[in-house]
Amino acid sequence: MLHIVNKSPQERSTLESCLRVARPGSALLLIEDAVYAATRGNAAAEKVREAAQALKVYALAPDLEARGMKDAAMSEVTLVDYGGFVDLVAGHAVVQSWL
Amino acid sequence: MAFELNGKVYETDEEGYLVNLADWDEDAAKYIAGVENVEMTENHWEVVNFLREYYNDYQIAPAVRVLTKEIGKKLGAEKGNSKYLYELFPYGPAKQACKIAGLPKPTGCV
Amino acid sequence: MMTDEIPGDEPAGPPGGKVKKFMFVNRKAPYGTIYALEGLEVVLISAAFSQDVSMVFLDDGVYELVKGQQTKGIEIKNFSPTYRALDGYDVEKLYVERESLDARGLTEANLIVPVQVLSAMEMGELMQQQDVIIGF
């Protein structure tokens, strides 16, 4: 299944809850303010790096670009554009959006 | 909107539902039933009182399906079916009986 | 000739005839935002369509089920008794995450309805078995 998170890891615990529940082999897509979690040196970076061993982690590139953070993206995270976003949603039978 | 009985004012919305649950009394029920062309018999009161109890317990007006099921449990199978309830309240037991019982329109009832 | 127009006493069958698994995930505390109430109303409405409905309470969503809510002072309707009506709507699958309870100093005994307490792992597995997940 695909988990989508859109909240900054510093402001909300949404990412943490998602990582607690997500089962190995699932995909995680970070969008909007959640893309900060995919940047080097942020407080959640270690958690994301660890999660990337069991999950496939993606971040929406336009959201990183918009925030001036694209160059800071962690190597463990795969960047996708809007087309990739659509492919991810279409490619998974179950999608949970963590509001 | 509003109506007045014996000097007491009952505020209603544009569809005739009471605005304040606490305003309800038997006079108001009879008045609303009159507007709806329903003549209140013992069988009508049974349903209206049941609805008020249900609302008091759960803070919602039940969907018709739930109402029929619960009425069946409480008052017997011959009353727990929509044919019986629609005979009492031709425009719909949930909608019309709720209005007479002074409850808000049931959730999901357009 | 017109046939009997009175609706049946059984819930309407699902469109297309196939029962789908719908999971509603509640993650917000009850009165600070409208999410919890909206989520509950959507579940009550969807119960009319005979799907396989379950409700999950995660994170602050577990606060929705706490016993003893008294909302007079904030002048907002107390909708916690409505969770007890779910059973009558044939919504019988209520799942609460143990970690969320623990993190808030709560146990099953604090909740207004009987629930099934699951670990985060079990919850994740249950999610994967759904057809549709809707979050509030």
Side-chain angles (χ1 to χ4, degrees), chain A residues 17 20-21 23 94 96 99, chain C residues 27 59 97 121 124 130 133:
Chain A
S17 300
R20 196 169 67 227
V21 169
R23 304 303 302 136
V94 195
Q96 153 77 335
L99 295 179
Chain C
R27 295 187 47 249
D59 297 328
E97 191 209 32
M121 196 182 98
Q130 303 302 310
I133 303 179

Side-chain angles (χ1 to χ4, degrees), chain A residues 40-81:
Chain A
R40 287 189 303 275
N42 92 88
E46 212 32 62
K47 245 177 225 158
V48 172
R49 194 164 289 130
E50 204 180 299
Q53 294 179 9
L55 311 174
K56 191 88 187 96
V57 183
Y58 302 88
L60 191 62
D63 279 326
L64 279 164
E65 277 166 8
R67 290 162 179 76
M69 299 301 274
K70 196 180 177 192
D71 291 341
M74 292 161 47
S75 58
E76 291 85 349
V77 175
T78 306
L79 302 191
V80 294
D81 57 12

